[in-house]
Amino acid sequence: QNYLDNFWPDLKAAHELFDSIVQARRERESESQENHGKEYPEHLPVEVLEAGIKSGRYLQGTLSVNKHRAQLEAFVRLQGLGSKDTG
């Protein structure tokens, strides 16, 4: 804000963009507080997931994503199974 005020006081578009970014950040912070610090809302409550895992309806695993080809390569390693059982 100071930079824009001092060096570009007449550049209205930049000031509007800055205000828009500040507003979006405030909205994201308020949403984060509403979600108890979680960036994304949960799809199912924890209790439902735990019950589903115990009953065998859901499987629990670890998602691994290739950092160089994240949109193309990923796999899930299921807990309690050997390292060869991945999908």
Side-chain angles (χ1 to χ4, degrees), residues 14-28:
H15 285 274
E16 290 174 357
L17 178 60
F18 178 80
D19 293 338
S20 174
I21 292 170
V22 169
Q23 180 63 29
R25 186 173 179 187
R26 286 182 186 146
E27 289 175 8
R28 178 177 271 198

Side-chain angles (χ1 to χ4, degrees), residues 19-82:
D19 293 338
S20 174
I21 292 170
V22 169
Q23 180 63 29
R25 186 173 179 187
R26 286 182 186 146
E27 289 175 8
R28 178 177 271 198
E29 288 173 356
S30 70
E31 288 174 4
S32 178
Q33 289 174 354
E34 290 173 4
N35 292 327
H36 307 291
K38 297 176 184 171
E39 187 171 348
Y40 300 101
E42 297 175 353
H43 293 281
L44 294 173
V46 174
E47 299 81 25
V48 173
L49 291 175
E50 289 175 347
I53 291 169
K54 287 181 182 177
S55 70
R57 181 174 182 184
Y58 301 126
L59 300 175
Q60 184 173 4
T62 303
L63 175 65
S64 297
V65 179
N66 182 330
K67 68 180 179 180
H68 302 290
R69 298 177 49 149
Q71 294 181 345
L72 302 174
E73 294 182 12
F75 68 93
V76 175
R77 179 167 290 132
L78 300 176
Q79 292 182 359
L81 299 176

